[in-house]
Amino acid sequence: MPAPKYWREIPQRYRLEGAKCKGCGQVYFPPRLICSSCKSREFEMVNLQREGELLTYTIIRVPPSQFTDQSPYAIGIVELDRGVKILSQIVDCDLDKLEIGQRMRIEFRKIYSEGEAGIICYGYKCVPV
Amino acid sequence: MVGIVGYGAYIPKNRIKVEEIAKVWGTDANSYKKGLFVEEKSVPSPDQDTITMSVEATLYALKRAQIDPKKIGAVYVGSESHPYAVKPSGTVLAEAIGATPDVHCADFEFACKAGSEAMFVCLELVRSGSMEYGLAVGADTSQGAPGDALEYTAAAGAASFIMGKDNLLAEAIETYSYMTDTPDFWRREYQYYPRHASRFTGEPAYFKHIIGAAKGILKKVKLEPKDFKYAVFHQPNGKFPLKVGKILGFKREQLDTGLLCPWMGNTYSGSSPMGLTAILDEAKPDDLILMVSYGSGAGSDAFIWKVTPKISEVQNKAPKTKDILNNNKTYIDYGTYAKYRGKIRKAE
Ligand SMILES: [Zn+2]
């Protein structure tokens, strides 16, 4: 992931900023320009809830090269309170004890580093409550 | 009046026991457990660093302060383990809590005293009227060289304080600092692990500066140890803070609440600030608290806090420090610890 893309996504990665449609109230994460339900183009910024429930997950055993040291690790879809679903790595957990429906909490973590000398990319991950 | 309007602490969930480290280096675990009063220490997960712990501690501080982060005028992170040599930790924290761009950021460094100096500067900036709120964090993921005595205590944790003028949880009654040039502990640029000079550790360093700062601040306000409900000192191990407290005339019951090191390790810049969070979790209105940090090199910052009636409204609004410390722990072995802390040399 190149640095400019990471930098542009900081509001979402750091603060979980979503866009709430002023027409129908639908919350989008990441934000969109046009609401797919009511076609409105007016949005307000909302911070997503930092807790939710694990909807589904998978264990990655053959990861992309920069994640090799973390293998095996879990990736899951978490439905945050008030209804927004996010895809997130699930950490600080016992992989054998993960359960669908389990309560999860967002924590701010390092996502990966661009080698020993590059930038460190931060963002959200989920940990069991 | 200036003081604390919000506070929070964060400790990673991994722990390693002194026995596990001693086993690898062939040392006597009991000499550390009894001699230094340390049982186990916190270890950051591989995806945690000073910045990530600062963010979590600050989100807890914001839960207690209930203020708009946009009103925070300064974000100061004190640490000796900033993730970058060049690029501030403060800007990431400020961005993560939504305090940017109308904010002043700086990273502080002064061995283990960096957190308390951020607290000191925030208090004075608020007092001067140049900002409504200032955010001060002390956080570290410190490393001891493998096999070095420091490896038994070097731990990870963060404490965060929002300073303000109104709705105080604890008022800063007085501050006082005591500094000399003392080469007891250092790390040169490009060196991975710190060095320490045994002949300077202890008496001429830790004890001299903490006693100097504590006596100085008590003299300023004309108070005695018996006037305080709590006292917390920098905790490089469990023994030093108890010993310095005794020398100054404090009783064990005044020191126990803020004493975290035996079960958490030394969190360096986070050490006495985290002890203060544990005290605030239990304090009652009108309690007086003495806090004295220590940073090698060397110096101590002393603070006297007076707890206000508002404290009881906020204590339960975020996780309490001792609950974070005692619950949900995962014990790891030395191999896992070495991998997590990057102590294993891999192929390029
Ligand atoms: Zn809509």
Side-chain angles (χ1 to χ4, degrees):
Chain A
M1 198 187 307
K5 180 168 185 288
Y6 163 77
W7 181 75
R8 276 197 309 275
E9 293 171 352
I10 278 178
Q12 286 76 49
R13 291 178 176 276
Y14 285 19
R15 298 192 294 271
L16 293 156
E17 273 185 14
K20 185 176 180 185
C21 173
K22 284 189 174 172
C24 68
Q26 177 84 28
V27 177
Y28 291 96
F29 185 82
R32 313 177 51 140
L33 290 174
I34 302 171
C35 175
S36 57
S37 14
C38 78
K39 310 298 175 207
S40 165
R41 286 167 184 264
E42 285 192 54
F43 292 90
E44 62 178 328
M45 189 281 291
V46 289
N47 288 317
L48 304 187
Q49 298 294 303
R50 298 182 74 88
E51 279 199 24
E53 207 167 83
L54 183 59
L55 290 186
T56 185
Y57 68 94
T58 186
I59 311 288
I60 308 284
R61 294 178 196 279
V62 186
S65 58
Q66 67 264 48
F67 293 92
T68 325
D69 284 358
Q70 301 180 39
S71 167
Y73 60 89
I75 296 277
I77 295 176
V78 173
E79 180 164 7
L80 298 175
D81 297 343
R82 296 193 205 149
V84 176
K85 298 184 187 87
I86 59 162
L87 178 69
S88 163
Q89 199 173 334
I90 300 160
V91 292
D92 281 5
C93 61
D94 187 339
L95 294 179
D96 300 329
K97 289 187 182 148
L98 280 177
E99 266 179 43
I100 287 169
Q102 197 176 352
R103 289 295 293 172
M104 292 279 149
R105 194 166 79 84
I106 299 277
E107 282 204 11
F108 193 74
R109 299 285 176 119
K110 281 189 280 190
I111 305 298
Y112 74 97
S113 308
E114 292 181 333
E116 285 293 306
I119 65 161
I120 306 166
C121 297
Y122 294 94
Y124 56 82
K125 289 186 186 177
C126 287
V127 297
V129 171
Chain B
M1 285 201 331
V2 293
I4 297 165
V5 301
Y7 70 92
Y10 182 86
I11 307 162
K13 69 178 283 195
N14 311 298
R15 300 284 184 281
I16 187 165
K17 286 184 178 290
V18 164
E19 288 88 341
E20 182 65 23
I21 301 173
K23 191 173 74 187
V24 171
W25 299 111
T27 54
D28 175 23
N30 268 330
S31 72
Y32 290 98
K33 292 175 75 170
K34 295 218 170 69
L36 292 176
F37 190 19
V38 283
E39 296 284 333
E40 58 194 55
K41 67 169 192 173
S42 65
V43 179
S45 290
D47 59 357
Q48 294 185 300
D49 62 18
T50 286
I51 290 177
T52 66
M53 296 189 306
S54 300
V55 171
E56 293 302 320
T58 301
L59 291 173
Y60 290 157
L62 281 165
K63 279 188 177 184
R64 290 194 171 100
Q66 300 275 307
I67 60 156
D68 177 1
K70 291 270 179 233
K71 291 183 176 169
I72 294 174
V75 171
Y76 297 147
V77 180
S79 179
E80 58 149 57
S81 50
H82 291 290
Y84 288 94
V86 178
K87 188 186 178 303
S89 301
T91 50
V92 184
L93 171 59
E95 198 77 63
I97 61 166
T100 50
D102 188 12
V103 63
H104 183 247
C105 291
D107 287 1
F108 285 59
E109 286 189 17
F110 190 146
C112 299
K113 193 181 80 64
S116 68
E117 75 194 337
M119 294 168 72
F120 178 89
V121 173
C122 281
L123 281 173
E124 298 311 318
L125 285 170
V126 170
R127 198 195 308 274
S128 75
S130 54
M131 56 188 60
E132 193 170 352
Y133 299 108
L135 170 64
V137 176
D140 259 309
T141 54
S142 296
Q143 292 264 38
D148 188 277
L150 293 178
E151 194 183 20
Y152 295 86
T153 51
S160 176
F161 297 89
I162 301 167
M163 305 302 185
K165 266 185 177 163
D166 302 314
N167 293 316
L168 301 182
L169 313 177
E171 183 194 348
I173 301 281
E174 191 59 84
T175 62
Y176 175 72
S177 294
Y178 185 97
M179 319 267 140
T180 69
D181 182 12
T182 307
D184 56 329
F185 172 95
W186 65 92
R187 180 169 65 84
R188 292 279 298 275
E189 187 95 279
Y190 310 118
Q191 296 295 305
Y192 196 62
Y193 297 113
R195 302 273 300 270
H196 50 105
S198 332
R199 60 180 298 230
F200 286 118
T201 309
E203 294 305 331
Y206 179 90
F207 290 96
K208 173 181 163 180
H209 293 84
I210 289 192
I211 291 168
K215 285 190 170 165
I217 199 168
L218 292 175
K219 192 176 164 196
K220 253 177 121 178
V221 291
K222 299 188 174 65
L223 288 171
E224 293 174 52
K226 65 172 171 50
D227 300 319
F228 290 82
K229 180 72 188 289
Y230 304 102
V232 59
F233 305 105
H234 176 54
Q235 301 167 23
N237 50 56
K239 191 180 163 188
F240 279 21
L242 291 178
K243 190 175 166 192
V244 82
K246 194 175 175 189
I247 293 170
L248 285 164
F250 288 92
K251 295 202 163 68
R252 183 71 187 258
E253 57 263 32
Q254 291 167 293
L255 305 172
D256 274 339
T257 308
L259 186 69
L260 305 173
C261 184
W263 309 277
M264 179 173 79
N266 178 6
T267 54
Y268 288 57
S269 303
S271 178
S272 55
M274 292 176 80
L276 178 62
T277 66
I279 290 171
L280 290 172
D281 282 339
E282 291 183 23
K284 299 207 161 45
D286 295 326
D287 284 348
L288 282 179
I289 305 164
L290 172 68
M291 169 188 160
V292 187
S293 66
Y294 173 71
S296 293
S300 285
D301 295 325
F303 302 80
I304 292 174
W305 307 98
K306 186 177 185 186
V307 180
T308 75
K310 192 160 165 49
I311 192 78
S312 44
E313 291 171 34
V314 307
Q315 282 165 328
N316 290 315
K317 280 191 174 159
K320 292 184 171 183
T321 304
K322 285 208 173 138
D323 290 340
I324 303 172
L325 183 63
N326 297 329
N327 302 337
N328 197 23
K329 293 188 275 194
T330 303
Y331 287 99
I332 57 174
D333 58 18
Y334 195 90
T336 307
Y337 161 75
K339 179 186 172 189
Y340 279 10
R341 302 304 285 132
K343 289 172 191 267
I344 300 174
R345 182 174 302 196
K346 294 170 61 189
E348 294 293 320

